[in-house]
Amino acid sequence: MGIKFLLLAIYMGAWSCTLAFIPPSDGLMRIELKKRQIDLDSISAARIIPGRDVDTNLNDLKADIVYLKNYHDTQYYGEVGIGSPPQIFTFVFDTGSSNLWVPSSKCLLSISCYFHSKYRSRMSSTYSKIGTPCKIHYGSGHISGFFSLDYVKVGDLIIKDQEFVEVTKQGFLTFLLLRAKFDGVLGLGFQDISVGQATPLWYNMIQQGHVSQQLFSFWLNRDPDSKVGGEIVFGGFDWKHFRGDHTYVPITKKGYWQIEVGDILIANNSTGLCEHGCAAIVDSGTSVLAGPTTIVTQINHAIGAEGILSLECKNVVFNYGNVMWEFLVSGIRPEIVCVDIGLCVQNGSNYMSSDIATVIQNKTSEGPSVDESVLCTFCEMVVFWIQMQINQQKTKETVFKYVNELCEIIPNPGGKSFINCDYIASLPHVSFTIGNKTFPLSPEQYVLKIEEGCSTVCISGFTALDVPRPQGPLWILGDIFMGAYHTVFDYGNLKIGFAKAT
């Protein structure tokens, strides 16, 4: 009998059973069951199991559970204590970064610090001064402060001498942090990307012997009526929250929890770009699914989401569409069409184009001007869409009708694409191919429902993110994906596992 079935048989509700053998008088062997009450900690411990490849006695298993709260399926956070005695803060547990930071009592000039708990070093008997200044950059801004050292309490564990950042200034993140339910961020990425090469808390958990297995797992609960928003298990995983076996894939690049994904399917139809592989970062600190505009636009077209960058795209189709068609049907390779037309600049063996998000933010660099970059980016997308349709043997008229429809709903980078809430049930599944297996997301899983006043707003969970080669194309698999699939981050074997969440 498997471990989890054995535990299920022994632990029933809030009772545990002891066995007593009754001498047979009629040739039958009877076992009397006696019951006693047990506490929640015992039930939780009974559900934690080690990795499949690990030979560990359950009595020797060291693991720790942190329960999370869920705010509108967009923020998952849990409590952590810093100092002695512990000062309690709420943290996002972020696999997309590696530093631990919290607002400092010395944060006086950032408004958002006044809306969150602040760490006071003078109140901790285990505090040690480091004082080295640092700045940590995020997609929406940065935080700055200085390094300190103290004890950190995570669940029932005490991690000694943990480096962390006392934040004294929050740049560009003010609006986010004013609305955020969390005080700070606890990074669970690799030390390779840790600012200041600070040792991540997870590394110290292992080095100080707090966990017997070098893995941790996430369960994110998308049930709005549940009191528990999710849980992280350090050192094991909870069989109660997944069904079937995990599909494991190797880490392809240390730093982030980065893997390779294959084709992304709308219903059962290929979107093409990732057919031969794309990079993907599994990131618990990102709420949505972010990926190449070329694919996200196809998805948002299929689900009826509305975007805002249609004019530039339509201009490219109107002015250059016929030339693109002639080049492609004559056999010219798609990747050089925009260079031959003159909308992209060839640089050695690379074709220079700029990420749309960068263009919208008016950030310029050496190379093409902003206008040229916009034209190049749209040209590459339009060529890709036309080629996909040619491969499906569609007529020219049908192809250009479809391409113009895609132009209508190009997503705004970092912005929202809205969906009619009444049509959710009729929308197609969107599937990611990982480890030669498809992982479908239902519309109920990839559409975010936000309550605004007396009404509900429905937003596409897909947003545009364009990362140039060789790092890209790149996907960020955030909380929407992790909410659908229980996720194991196996540090010891450098792999990630996914199983259907329950």
Side-chain angles (χ1 to χ4, degrees):
M1 181 184 295
I3 292 176
K4 63 183 180 182
F5 298 109
L6 175 61
L7 291 172
L8 183 60
I10 294 177
Y11 289 90
M12 296 175 288
W15 301 89
S16 69
C17 303
T18 57
L19 309 182
F21 289 94
I22 301 175
S25 58
D26 53 2
L28 300 176
M29 177 63 73
R30 291 178 172 80
I31 299 176
E32 179 184 6
L33 300 179
K34 296 181 180 180
K35 64 183 181 180
R36 63 180 176 85
Q37 280 191 301
I38 60 175
D39 56 24
L40 181 61
D41 291 338
S42 299
I43 296 174
S44 298
R47 298 200 312 256
I48 307 305
I49 61 177
R52 174 176 295 276
D53 300 330
V54 179
D55 183 17
T56 300
N57 189 312
L58 280 180
N59 293 325
D60 299 328
L61 181 64
K62 296 179 181 178
D64 189 52
I65 300 178
V66 177
Y67 294 100
L68 304 177
K69 294 182 180 180
N70 174 7
Y71 179 71
H72 292 317
D73 289 343
T74 59
Q75 297 177 39
Y76 290 87
Y77 54 94
E79 291 187 346
V80 171
I82 301 180
S84 303
Q87 300 172 40
I88 304 303
F89 304 94
T90 54
F91 284 87
V92 167
F93 293 78
D94 179 20
T95 59
S97 66
S98 299
N99 290 88
L100 172 65
W101 63 262
V102 69
S104 171
S105 59
K106 299 175 178 64
C107 182
L108 303 175
L109 300 178
S110 291
I111 295 175
S112 57
C113 283
Y114 290 91
F115 291 85
H116 295 276
S117 300
K118 292 184 282 189
Y119 170 77
R120 290 170 170 79
S121 59
R122 59 184 174 79
M123 296 178 64
S124 173
S125 62
T126 49
Y127 162 77
S128 294
K129 180 179 178 180
I130 297 178
T132 306
C134 77
K135 180 181 288 188
I136 301 176
H137 292 273
Y138 292 91
S140 54
H142 69 270
I143 58 98
S144 58
F146 56 90
F147 282 106
S148 292
L149 199 74
D150 209 335
Y151 285 17
V152 176
K153 186 175 188 294
V154 181
D156 294 326
L157 305 180
I158 301 291
I159 296 88
K160 298 179 180 179
D161 301 327
Q162 175 62 47
E163 292 175 88
F164 67 100
V165 178
E166 289 192 53
V167 173
T168 56
K169 185 178 181 181
Q170 296 164 347
F172 303 115
L173 284 165
T174 302
F175 178 72
L176 167 64
L177 293 174
L178 282 172
R179 298 187 63 180
K181 299 297 181 180
F182 56 90
D183 300 311
V185 172
L186 194 159
L188 293 170
F190 293 86
Q191 190 168 6
D192 308 56
I193 61 169
S194 176
V195 173
Q197 281 299 292
T199 304
L201 180 137
W202 166 244
Y203 283 46
N204 280 332
M205 271 192 187
I206 296 171
Q207 292 167 7
Q208 295 177 21
H210 291 300
V211 292
S212 51
Q213 311 305 324
Q214 294 184 20
L215 58 85
F216 57 90
S217 59
F218 271 81
W219 168 64
L220 302 182
N221 187 6
R222 312 290 277 190
D223 182 358
D225 298 322
S226 176
K227 293 182 179 180
V228 178
E231 68 179 28
I232 304 173
V233 180
F234 293 101
F237 45 82
D238 187 341
W239 57 262
K240 180 182 177 183
H241 295 311
F242 64 90
R243 183 166 62 244
D245 293 328
H246 287 81
T247 297
Y248 284 93
V249 290
I251 300 298
T252 56
K253 185 178 181 181
K254 278 183 65 177
Y256 297 100
W257 288 93
Q258 183 170 318
I259 60 175
E260 182 176 284
V261 298
D263 203 2
I264 288 82
L265 308 175
I266 305 173
N268 291 317
N269 300 314
S270 168
T271 55
L273 185 64
C274 294
E275 207 166 7
H276 301 293
C278 284
I281 294 171
V282 186
D283 182 5
S284 60
T286 297
S287 303
V288 295
L289 295 155
T293 302
T294 305
I295 297 179
V296 172
T297 301
Q298 294 180 67
I299 294 172
N300 282 345
H301 174 264
I303 66 179
E306 298 179 357
I308 64 166
L309 295 180
S310 62
L311 183 59
E312 292 88 346
C313 180
K314 285 187 173 182
N315 283 339
V316 169
V317 177
F318 179 79
N319 292 317
Y320 303 99
N322 287 324
V323 178
M324 293 175 182
W325 175 270
E326 296 301 328
F327 278 14
L328 291 171
V329 296
S330 67
I332 292 179
R333 289 184 294 123
E335 59 267 28
I336 67 171
V337 167
C338 294
V339 175
D340 287 352
I341 291 175
L343 295 185
C344 292
V345 179
Q346 186 173 1
N347 179 19
S349 60
N350 298 316
Y351 302 99
M352 298 178 61
S353 65
S354 178
D355 149 45
I356 291 182
T358 303
V359 173
I360 295 301
Q361 293 166 6
N362 293 320
K363 295 179 181 178
T364 61
S365 60
E366 292 183 8
S369 68
V370 173
D371 288 342
E372 290 169 341
S373 297
V374 170
L375 291 175
C376 177
T377 301
F378 282 119
C379 179
E380 290 173 335
M381 284 193 298
V382 171
V383 166
F384 180 84
W385 294 332
I386 293 174
Q387 184 64 60
M388 287 289 295
Q389 295 293 295
I390 290 174
N391 292 344
Q392 296 174 29
Q393 299 182 333
K394 300 292 179 65
T395 65
K396 184 176 180 179
E397 182 181 357
T398 302
V399 169
F400 280 100
K401 180 176 183 295
Y402 175 73
V403 168
N404 277 300
E405 288 175 353
L406 292 181
C407 284
E408 285 282 358
I409 45 83
I410 285 178
N412 176 28
K416 301 179 179 68
S417 295
F418 296 94
I419 294 172
N420 189 324
C421 297
D422 296 334
Y423 298 154
I424 290 178
S426 63
L427 300 180
H429 282 59
V430 176
S431 302
F432 287 80
T433 306
I434 303 174
N436 296 318
K437 182 177 179 180
T438 57
F439 290 81
L441 296 172
S442 69
E444 290 77 14
Q445 290 171 326
Y446 65 68
V447 173
L448 293 171
K449 289 186 175 182
I450 308 296
E451 302 290 336
E452 292 196 354
C454 298
S455 62
T456 300
V457 177
C458 293
I459 300 171
S460 168
F462 294 92
T463 191
L465 173 70
D466 292 288
V467 177
R469 297 182 188 275
Q471 290 81 13
L474 174 73
W475 278 91
I476 304 293
L477 304 182
D479 294 343
I480 287 177
F481 189 85
M482 292 176 62
Y485 294 97
H486 181 271
T487 308
V488 176
F489 296 84
D490 190 335
Y491 175 82
N493 296 298
L494 294 178
K495 61 184 181 179
I496 300 181
F498 304 101
K500 190 168 185 178
T502 56

